[in-house]
Structure formats: C-alpha cells, structure tokens
Amino acid sequence: MEVTSLAKAGDRCVGVKTSEDETLSGPTRRATAGCWTFAVEGGRALRAHAPVRGQMVALRHAGKLIRRVLRSERGYIVPRDHATPQKLVAGSTLENAGYEKAVTSGGLEQILARRE
Ligand SMILES: Cc1cc2nc3c(=O)[nH]c(=O)nc-3n(C[C@H](O)[C@H](O)[C@H](O)COP(=O)(O)OP(=O)(O)OC[C@H]3O[C@@H](n4cnc5c(N)ncnc54)[C@H](O)[C@@H]3O)c2cc1C
C-alpha cells in the first residue's frame, strides 16, 4: 500500500490517503517516507532529507576472523558471518546521485583504494 497524498483539514495534516483509496489518521502523524516524502502529494511542505547514494563492496576474507565493525577515517568494514572465508562488506561512498541506485566501477574503486 502506497501513501499518495496528505489528508488535510484546512492547513492541518490530519492523516494520509493511500493507493487503496483509504484515508488513515491517528492521534500523531510523522513523515516516514525518507527521501521519497517529496514524491507524496503535499509532502514538499514537510521536512525531509534528500537522497544520498552509499555504495558498498562485498568481500571474502580468508585471514583472521573479524568479530566487530572496524572503522577508520578511510571507511568501515562490517563482518557478515563467522565462516571461513568470511563475508565482509566495506563502505562506503557518499554521493549526491539523486535517486540513482546503480553500483558503479568508480564507486567500487573508490572504496577498494582505501585499503592502502
Ligand atoms: C552509505 C550510508 C550508510 C549509512 N549508515 C548508517 C548507519 O550505519 N547507521 C544509521 O543509523 N544510519 C545510517 N545511514 C542513514 C540511514 O540509512 C538513514 O538515515 C535511514 O535509512 C533513514 O530512515 P528513514 O526511515 O527515515 O527512511 P528510509 O530508510 O528511506 O525508509 C523510507 C521508507 O518509506 C517507504 N516509502 C517511500 N515512499 C512511500 C509511500 N509513498 N508510501 C509508503 N511507503 C513509502 C520506502 O519504501 C522506505 O521503506 C546510512 C546512510 C548511507 C547513505
């Protein structure tokens, strides 16, 4: 079910209208559509964040097990399991790429170049 627009009483937002032609309301209302809040009719008036693309790289690690998230100014590495080889993800880029979700060779290169 998709929220299509804000339900209003005068200037006040009292709920939302949905793709199933329902109006939902409640005692409190909060915008939770993230950067897509702008796409909801009436949502431009709400405070929302802009989209940011963060690419990550999945790796297999055959060395000593990594048991916690490692962070430095070069980025971070997150262990995804405790197997050998171990699944890791390394990140990330932080790009103003609009709503583009594609992974790029430039993004992967940027992350992998941080290992030195
Ligand atoms: C690279 C990167 C790394 C990050 N790392 C961290 C981290 O380690 N820790 C952390 O706390 N935060 C992290 N963040 C930030 C975090 O991802 C965001 O702050 C968080 O996802 C925002 O949550 P949200 O619920 O506001 O929006 P979102 O997670 O974007 O959720 C919005 C939801 O609304 C749904 N939606 C959109 N439009 C509609 C509609 N019309 N009707 C119904 N549903 C709709 C969407 O499908 C989505 O499920 C990171 C961000 C980036 C880019």
Side-chain angles (χ1 to χ4, degrees):
M1 181 170 53
E2 196 179 321
V3 169
T4 51
S5 64
L6 304 184
K8 291 197 159 180
D11 277 352
R12 273 186 56 233
C13 172
V14 293
V16 292
K17 292 183 182 165
T18 75
S19 50
E20 289 174 15
D21 231 12
E22 282 180 301
T23 299
L24 306 176
S25 57
T28 56
R29 290 154 296 278
R30 191 171 287 250
T32 58
C35 60
W36 293 279
T37 302
F38 294 120
V40 173
E41 195 186 318
R44 289 202 168 268
L46 303 172
R47 252 199 234 162
H49 23 248
V52 172
R53 177 168 66 182
Q55 299 186 50
M56 301 182 82
V57 182
L59 301 166
R60 293 274 180 183
H61 168 65
K64 197 175 166 193
L65 272 189
I66 296 174
R67 296 193 177 277
R68 59 185 140 182
V69 175
L70 304 178
R71 288 178 186 277
S72 80
E73 70 246 2
R74 288 181 290 165
Y76 54 86
I77 293 173
V78 183
R80 286 299 200 196
D81 64 18
H82 292 116
T84 308
Q86 188 176 22
K87 273 190 211 160
L88 307 174
V89 291
S92 79
T93 62
L94 210 57
E95 304 162 68
N96 294 318
Y99 291 89
E100 182 57 63
K101 288 183 181 174
V103 173
T104 64
S105 56
L108 302 185
E109 195 181 336
Q110 200 187 107
I111 297 163
L112 294 173
R114 294 180 195 157
R115 70 188 188 281
E116 278 122 36

